[in-house]
Amino acid sequence: MSEKEKMMQKAIELSIKGSSEGKGGPFGAVVVKDGKIVGQGHNQVTSTNDPTAHAEVVAIRDACKNLGTFQLSDCELYTSCEPCPMCLGAIYWARPARVYYANTREDAAAVGFDDAFIYEEIPLPLSERKIEMIQLGREEAQKAFILWTEKENKVDY
Amino acid sequence: MSEKEKMMQKAIELSIKGSSEGKGGPFGAVVVKDGKIVGQGHNQVTSTNDPTAHAEVVAIRDACKNLGTFQLSDCELYTSCEPCPMCLGAIYWARPARVYYANTREDAAAVGFDDAFIYEEIPLPLSERKIEMIQLGREEAQKAFILWTEKENKVDY
């Protein structure tokens, strides 16, 4: 078994452990830096009442906490399933070097998860989405962005 | 000022408070149920080393914790800016009735945030994305999905 396969095996083991213990769906992930696991997680949506507690989000938060950073530029993410759009967004914000995944979004849909549906919704014009989105108060909200552009010593991300 | 405008004003106030106190970017959000705020948040990415701590994610997690649920079906989300794809994914998983937003993704891009870029990346075939995605170990990972389909008393989400 190659080093990469071993890391994926760890993510898969987490996916089975988490769901068998009733923590949430069958998904696991690890973050690897310099050949070592620096963060890990399994889905824990239903056990923690947190709809954002997908394996990748949990692993990214864990790695960032352990490394003391909000950027995972020198890291790789191994996940037992192709990330859903929420997790893919989290990946883009954390900016790891690359992502290894095992099951696909179609595999996830086949066992009852909304990943493929959400992938279809994201690119739609706001007016065509299943969850209604209504614009309100832009003029007032622009003040926050103007203050941000004028702010000194701000930390970009 | 209408009740909706008041709720959006609260989200905008959070966006200004969070960034002025150096907690993170200029974004705020509240979750409303039966006319009352049941969860709130501002961006705290850079102050907590958590790239997933966007205003909407923080507000959704806060509301779910306060209500003791992983579903916000009877709630509305007010956010000072159109949600990025990560937050939009989180919204689809939390399933609020509707979303009110103020600034747009283009407004966010104009002040230095990657929202519009990530919206362009999400629908791309995996092979064309800026962050490399490599499939590995699907056969092994399928075991977790088979166990899930056979699992009794599982909690769907």
Side-chain angles (χ1 to χ4, degrees), chain A residues 19 43 50 61 92 95 98-99 101-103 107 114 121 132 134-136 138 141-142 151 157, chain B residues 19 43 50 61 92 95 98-99 101-103 107 114 121 132 134-136 138 141-142 151 157:
Chain A
S19 61
N43 185 293
D50 181 357
R61 298 180 78 211
Y92 272 89
R95 305 183 178 91
R98 64 190 57 78
V99 175
Y101 68 97
N103 290 315
D107 293 331
D114 272 352
E121 288 282 303
E132 190 179 15
I134 301 155
Q135 192 172 29
L136 175 73
R138 176 174 179 267
Q142 277 286 304
K151 185 176 169 66
Y157 60 88
Chain B
S19 61
N43 185 292
D50 180 357
R61 299 180 77 213
Y92 272 89
R95 305 182 179 92
R98 64 190 58 78
V99 175
Y101 67 97
N103 289 314
D107 293 331
D114 272 353
E121 288 282 302
E132 191 179 13
I134 302 156
Q135 192 172 28
L136 176 73
R138 177 174 178 269
Q142 276 287 304
K151 185 176 171 65
Y157 59 90

Side-chain angles (χ1 to χ4, degrees), chain A residues 61-80:
Chain A
R61 298 180 78 211
D62 187 43
C64 285
K65 185 180 170 191
N66 292 336
L67 298 173
T69 177
F70 54 86
Q71 293 287 271
L72 299 175
S73 320
D74 302 326
C75 299
E76 294 176 327
L77 178 74
Y78 290 76
T79 171
S80 67

Side-chain angles (χ1 to χ4, degrees), chain A residues 89-156:
Chain A
I91 288 164
Y92 272 89
W93 289 113
R95 305 183 178 91
R98 64 190 57 78
V99 175
Y100 295 93
Y101 68 97
N103 290 315
T104 66
R105 72 181 80 171
E106 291 81 10
D107 293 331
V111 295
F113 295 98
D114 272 352
D115 303 42
F117 163 69
I118 302 176
Y119 267 108
E120 291 165 13
E121 288 282 303
I122 298 268
L124 292 179
L126 277 62
S127 59
E128 295 176 22
R129 294 212 186 112
K130 292 284 191 298
I131 295 182
E132 190 179 15
M133 298 194 66
I134 301 155
Q135 192 172 29
L136 175 73
R138 176 174 179 267
E139 190 173 352
E140 194 65 21
Q142 277 286 304
K143 291 177 186 169
F145 280 8
I146 293 166
L147 286 169
W148 177 258
T149 58
E150 294 169 348
K151 185 176 169 66
E152 293 179 10
N153 302 320
K154 60 180 176 264
V155 184
D156 290 321

